[in-house]
């Protein structure tokens, strides 16, 4: 999980698949043989005042799945959309508390916590100067609530939204049917979609959120408009994001090149100029380039073609630990909130037996992977909650590597080599089935590949015919979302707000396109997660989430691996690089003195 832990203002507070991305940019000068010497300080630099200009060239291991701000769910997409789609509220870098962005202040909340009222700034605009109004937020919520829009991952967080209205252009009222302890975070993470761009025919006019929730009862004319809007929205906006942020994609045909780059240009008419806290940045362009090989990325960074890059533990230790590298780059090892895991697809009949899932976990030498492969720059995890949050269940037993226990469990589950071919088999539903499966992960992620190869090597010794296969990120995501795989190595990023595991583990999310892609269904877990969401007492929530983690640990739909420390290297010409309590840095604050600027 080598993603850069940047604190660009979050587009949503929702979980997203980690694509193990580090964004890259386009060309630049080569590093001189002796390394660069520092230029003389400008007056602005000496006074600590940022200077505008230059580009920030980043690296991505994979293309974004889509730049549709509602239907996309991977972190590569979110990284780009963060610059384009500001939110009502965000999490402050220093305090980790919510603070306003498009809203003037935190919302007014009714005593029964069923009405949230946001008062909006009156100076926020989309590109071209069209003002952002409360109606744009109402439209956005209607898009998400539209059952034909491919956004189950977002819709589940808005289940409690009964209606939304705009009493005036700068007042947004949201009515809820039930309380949810994270509603300020979730509603505050909404970014306005311009209706003029995403619904130019005004197909959703006259259709309310209550109408959308009674979709099957709509009259035929309205239902046809809802479905027509959704079809166009799902299909037509993968490369055409428009938002109220400081950056935009001006020329999609040339600024988005699959497998190569994405170019974002700063808006000259941005409504909060020189205000990084509200989404502006000091650079004029953000350039992402896709390079699906980590060694090639490091070569590009050393050659001055990239400004920031994520390093593997081996690269950190062996390839960048020298005076020449330090002369032109800084490095930082920092906590990256998220975890890597092996997911067992429970639509596969092999993995429907909990004894098999538990047995397979015994063949994973987690500590050896951390010590040898990650050079100790990771901590083992046993659950899906960030280990540094109080909600993490510290009483979960530590993982044990014990192949003999794994073999014994498989025998108990009825697996044996009946035909002498060296592969365990079992009769299931009247057919003799070998214990055979593919373990997938995304190409270019050498750590996941090494983990996969180590795991299947141990399993093969026990008669398990497992094979590792690396495939393109977008193709793999498509297979995972359709349950068209056996097992997968993936990661989840974890937000800084209090956790809500509903998106990953509630049975309602075990649908195509949902985040419960291992098809885990458990009645007790459903009941716990439903009660957890409406419990405002932190102590009572702790009891619920502890029990939830115990069940997941017992059922082993995932074999949890580790939370990795990220290693970031960046070009020394950048100033204003601050590392915050969250473990990340804020790219909006990075700037380059005029004398050191590389791109004009």
């Amino acid at each position: 999980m080598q993603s850069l832990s940047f604190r660009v203002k979050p587009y949503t507070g929702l979980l997203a698949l980690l694509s193990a991305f580090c964004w890259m940019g386009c060309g630049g000068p080569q590093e001189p043989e002796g390394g660069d010497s520092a230029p003389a300080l400008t007056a602005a630099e000496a006074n600590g005042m940022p200077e505008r200009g230059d580009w920030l060239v980043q690296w991505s291991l994979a293309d974004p799945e889509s730049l549709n701000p509602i239907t996309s769910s991977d972190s590569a997409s979110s990284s780009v959309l963060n610059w384009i789609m500001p939110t009502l509220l965000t999490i402050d870098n220093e305090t980790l508390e919510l603070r306003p962005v498009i809203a003037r202040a935190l919302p007014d909340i009714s005593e029964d916590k069923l009405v949230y009222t946001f008062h909006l700034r009156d100076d926020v605009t989309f590109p071209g100067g069209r003002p952002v109004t409360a109606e744009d937020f109402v439209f956005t919520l209607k898009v998400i609530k539209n059952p034909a829009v491919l956004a189950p991952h977002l819709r589940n967080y808005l289940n409690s939204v009964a209606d939304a209205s705009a009493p005036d252009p700068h007042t947004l009222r949201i009515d809820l049917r039930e309380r949810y302890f994270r509603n300020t975070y979730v509603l505050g993470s909404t970014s306005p979609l311009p209706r003029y761009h995403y619904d130019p025919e005004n197909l959703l006019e006259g259709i309310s959120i209550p109408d959308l929730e009674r979709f099957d009862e709509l009259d035929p004319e309205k239902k046809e408009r809802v479905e027509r809007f959704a079809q166009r929205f799902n299909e037509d906006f993968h490369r055409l994001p428009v938002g109220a942020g400081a950056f935009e994609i001006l020329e999609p045909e040339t600024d988005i090149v699959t497998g190569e780059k994405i170019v974002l240009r700063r808006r000259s008419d941005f409504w909060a100029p020189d205000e990084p806290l509200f989404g502006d940045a000091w650079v004029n362009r953000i350039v992402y380039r896709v390079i699906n090989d980590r060694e090639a990325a490091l070569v590009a960074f050393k050659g001055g073609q990239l400004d920031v890059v994520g390093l593997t533990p081996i690269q950190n230790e062996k390839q960048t630990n020298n005076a020449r590298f330090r002369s032109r780059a800084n490095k930082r090892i920092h906590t990256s909130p998220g975890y890597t895991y092996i997911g067992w697809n429970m639509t596969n009949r092999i993995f429907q037996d909990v004894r098999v899932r538990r047995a397979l976990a015994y063949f994973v030498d987690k500590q050896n992977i951390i010590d040898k492969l990650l050079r100790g720059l990771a901590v083992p995890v046993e659950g899906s909650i960030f280990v540094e949050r109080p909600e993490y269940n510290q009483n979960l037993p530590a993982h044990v590597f014990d192949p003999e226990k794994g073999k014994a469990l498989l025998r108990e589950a009825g697996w044996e080599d009946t035909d002498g071919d060296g592969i365990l088999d079992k009769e299931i539903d009247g057919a003799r089935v070998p214990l055979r499966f593919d373990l997938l992960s995304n190409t270019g992620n050498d750590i996941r590949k090494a983990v996969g190869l180590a795991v299947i090597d141990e399993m093969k010794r026990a008669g398990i015919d497992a094979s590792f296969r690396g495939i393109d990120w977008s193709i793999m995501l498509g297979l995972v979302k359709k349950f068209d795989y056996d097992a997968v190595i993936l990661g989840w990023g974890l937000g800084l707000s209090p956790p809500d595991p509903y998106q990953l583990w509630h049975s309602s999310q075990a649908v195509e396109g949902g985040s419960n892609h291992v098809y885990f269904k458990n009645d007790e877990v459903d009941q716990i997660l439903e009660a957890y969401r409406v419990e405002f007492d932190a102590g009572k929530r702790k009891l619920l989430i502890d029990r939830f983690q115990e069940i997941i640990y017992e059922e082993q739909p995932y074999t949890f691996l580790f939370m990795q420390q990220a290693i970031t290297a960046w070009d020394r010409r950048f100033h204003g690089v601050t590392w915050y309590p969250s473990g990340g840095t804020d790219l909006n604050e990075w700037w380059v003195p005029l004398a050191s600027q590389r791109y004009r």
Side-chain angles (χ1 to χ4, degrees), residues 275-315:
E275 294 284 357
L277 287 176
F278 293 96
D280 200 6
W282 296 108
V283 296
N284 291 326
R285 291 192 192 182
I286 307 292
V287 181
Y288 296 84
R289 178 173 291 172
V290 181
I291 301 178
N292 60 8
D293 179 86
R294 294 181 181 279
E295 291 303 316
L298 180 56
V299 169
F301 179 80
K302 288 182 174 180
Q305 299 167 19
L306 303 174
D307 296 326
V308 61
V309 69
L311 303 177
T312 68
I314 294 292
Q315 288 174 332

Side-chain angles (χ1 to χ4, degrees), residues 406-418:
K407 294 175 188 177
L409 257 181
L410 290 174
R411 285 194 298 270
E412 179 185 319
W415 293 91
E416 53 184 313
D417 182 6
T418 62

Side-chain angles (χ1 to χ4, degrees), residues 81 105 109 147 199 204 354 390 398 418 436 462 552:
L81 291 168
I109 304 173
D199 188 15
L204 296 186
V354 66
T418 62
R436 175 181 294 132
I552 298 298

